[in-house]
Amino acid sequence: MKYYIIAGEASGDLHGSNLMKALKKQDTDAQIRFWGGDLMQAAGGELVMHYKERQFMGFIEVVLNLRKISGHIKFCKKDIAKFKPDVVIFIDNSGFNLRIAKWAKEQNYRTQYYISPQVWASRAGRVEKIKRDIDAMYCILPFEKAFYQKYNYEVNFVGHPLIDAIADRPQIDENEFREAHQLGAKPIIALLPGSRKQEISKMLGVMLSLVDDFEDYQFVIAGAPSQDFEFYQQFIKQDNVSFISNKTYDLLSISNAALVTSGTATLETALYKVPQVVCYKANAISYHIAKRIITLKFISLVNLIMDREVVTELIQGDLNKKRLKAELNAILDEKKREALFLDYYELEQKLGGKGASETTAKLIYESLIN
């Protein structure tokens, strides 16, 4: 079978790569063409465009790059038509993917979606478009199935692929890791400022403002594979700061606490049982527009899945040195840490067991041969 997969961002690349590996187990003759990143490329297949070339965050950034985005959409449609896939598989990345899905369905391509767009967060009216344009939806968050049922749309809850991604990674030797990256013996506070330049620019400076107030700890920036060290360097003013690129999971496995930009990283941090403070700051105009259309009580996946505040969220004006320092001190306290660990274990149970990628690949393949 011929599979055309469209993913965006580092998380989509990770989940896309695992789905590709699982598809190849189901279908040994699989031909895969994709939009994604380095991990998907390593899994085998033909890369069309890297996600680094189309990363735009927030309403203003999207508006400023409309011509470029329009060009990508036009090119994608032509590329699909040329490849003639048996199925087009979309992974998250709703702004781009739902536009392609509408066209693909009109052209009578089979359409399947892995990792639902966050229609439960805003613009629920998009559900009608999904029902019209998507043949099958594979959800990874437990509350999504019930959400879609309200709109008479049956979806598959397959569990969360991060369970697999983390469980399948070999354990590292902490001493060797510290030595390899010239880390001292002090306990580590990991900084996860996001993967996009706009996120890093908004978040990293505030995170690093705490370095001199926590001399008994060392701060380590988890560099995203999509950005070079030179970009991060402009924000680093202190000596007690290290930088490690593309080793976020290894870093989390030996960290005592973390300051994390809202997104998939909050869930990854929780699954590694690392106490965290969730940070989010956007362009002021983008934030106020989003605030009008997003109806959620929380922004972090941890709190959304648990349906209560488990981790503290510092949003927009609340993300300042004073608040961040207080919250970091709180999660370094043993009592608070014990409570967080218990909540994290409960969270993991809600996410289901292993096998999300394999389950999804099996369902996709069976839908094509039946």
Side-chain angles (χ1 to χ4, degrees):
M1 297 287 183
K2 296 170 75 172
Y3 305 84
Y4 198 100
I5 305 176
I6 309 173
E9 306 185 333
S11 60
D13 182 36
L14 170 64
H15 302 321
S17 68
N18 289 327
L19 178 63
M20 287 168 65
K21 293 171 190 173
L23 281 171
K24 288 181 177 182
K25 290 179 184 176
Q26 293 289 328
D27 181 1
T28 54
D29 296 321
Q31 297 178 52
I32 302 176
R33 189 167 171 82
F34 64 91
W35 295 50
D38 298 341
L39 295 176
M40 292 176 76
Q41 195 163 20
E46 192 170 353
L47 175 65
V48 180
M49 186 178 292
H50 202 287
Y51 66 79
K52 290 181 185 178
E53 298 180 47
R54 51 192 187 93
Q55 286 190 310
F56 308 106
M57 177 187 170
F59 297 97
I60 300 302
E61 290 78 11
V62 169
V63 169
L64 292 174
N65 289 278
L66 278 177
R67 180 175 292 183
K68 194 171 186 180
I69 294 169
S70 179
H72 289 161
I73 290 171
K74 188 175 180 180
F75 172 71
C76 183
K77 291 175 182 178
K78 284 185 178 178
D79 197 59
I80 292 172
K82 185 178 178 182
F83 185 60
K84 295 182 174 62
D86 293 290
V87 62
V88 183
I89 302 170
F90 305 96
I91 299 178
D92 200 359
N93 195 31
S94 63
F96 187 86
N97 278 340
L98 289 178
R99 286 173 173 83
I100 299 298
K102 181 178 185 295
W103 170 86
K105 191 64 179 174
E106 289 170 350
Q107 304 303 310
N108 294 316
Y109 290 106
R110 281 180 277 201
T111 56
Q112 307 211 11
Y113 219 118
Y114 179 43
I115 305 180
S116 169
Q118 295 180 354
V119 288
W120 37 265
S122 66
R123 293 178 289 164
R126 290 179 294 171
V127 173
E128 294 305 318
K129 295 178 181 178
I130 290 170
K131 288 173 65 176
R132 179 192 68 200
D133 299 330
I134 302 299
D135 297 328
M137 173 71 74
Y138 308 102
C139 295
I140 64 171
L141 297 174
F143 58 79
E144 290 177 320
K145 189 173 179 68
F147 169 82
Y148 278 113
Q149 281 178 340
K150 292 190 297 185
Y151 295 89
N152 297 313
Y153 185 53
E154 285 299 319
V155 302
N156 304 280
F157 172 59
V158 295
H160 205 293
L162 281 180
I163 300 291
D164 295 333
I166 291 172
D168 293 342
R169 287 181 68 85
Q171 284 191 325
I172 63 165
D173 183 293
E174 181 172 349
N175 293 328
E176 288 180 6
F177 185 82
R178 285 177 179 267
E179 187 176 341
H181 296 284
Q182 299 180 329
L183 302 176
K186 291 181 179 180
I188 291 170
I189 295 174
L191 305 182
L192 281 65
S195 59
R196 300 182 181 101
K197 286 184 176 179
Q198 297 100 319
E199 290 176 321
I200 298 164
S201 298
K202 294 283 186 185
M203 250 66 72
L204 187 54
V206 186
M207 293 176 175
L208 288 172
S209 71
L210 303 187
V211 172
D212 293 335
D213 295 316
F214 292 85
E215 294 182 350
D216 293 334
Y217 295 85
Q218 57 185 321
F219 287 70
V220 184
I221 300 168
S226 54
Q227 308 298 340
D228 297 323
F229 172 64
E230 287 69 29
F231 179 74
Y232 294 89
Q233 202 168 17
Q234 62 186 300
F235 304 101
I236 304 173
K237 312 297 181 187
Q238 306 93 335
D239 294 329
N240 189 27
V241 178
S242 299
F243 176 87
I244 301 176
S245 182
N246 203 20
K247 297 279 185 182
T248 301
Y249 285 5
D250 292 344
L251 176 61
L252 285 173
S253 72
I254 63 168
S255 294
N256 274 55
L259 307 179
V260 188
T261 295
S262 179
T264 305
T266 64
L267 196 53
E268 293 169 322
T269 304
L271 290 174
Y272 270 101
K273 310 300 187 291
V274 180
Q276 64 181 297
V277 182
V278 177
C279 307
Y280 182 77
K281 184 176 285 190
N283 173 288
I285 297 174
S286 296
Y287 173 73
H288 285 294
I289 293 172
K291 197 174 178 182
R292 289 176 181 272
I293 64 174
I294 294 176
T295 57
L296 299 174
K297 291 186 290 184
F298 306 108
I299 63 166
S300 71
L301 285 171
V302 175
N303 291 344
L304 285 168
I305 293 166
M306 296 292 283
D307 197 28
R308 58 186 171 86
E309 186 178 83
V310 170
V311 295
T312 299
E313 302 176 350
L314 297 181
I315 305 170
Q316 212 66 6
D318 288 334
L319 181 58
N320 56 63
K321 181 180 178 179
K322 183 179 178 181
R323 284 294 311 275
L324 193 57
K325 179 181 177 181
E327 296 301 338
L328 179 54
N329 271 318
I331 62 171
L332 292 173
D333 177 76
E334 278 307 314
K335 257 191 161 181
K336 174 69 172 176
R337 295 170 70 82
E338 288 174 12
L340 270 173
F341 294 146
L342 291 174
D343 286 332
Y344 282 168
Y345 282 113
E346 184 182 341
L347 170 75
E348 192 167 357
Q349 297 306 307
K350 286 179 177 285
L351 289 173
K354 290 181 65 178
S357 302
E358 285 75 12
T359 299
T360 305
K362 186 173 186 291
L363 290 169
I364 290 173
Y365 182 62
E366 288 178 349
S367 75
L368 299 180
I369 60 174
N370 291 334

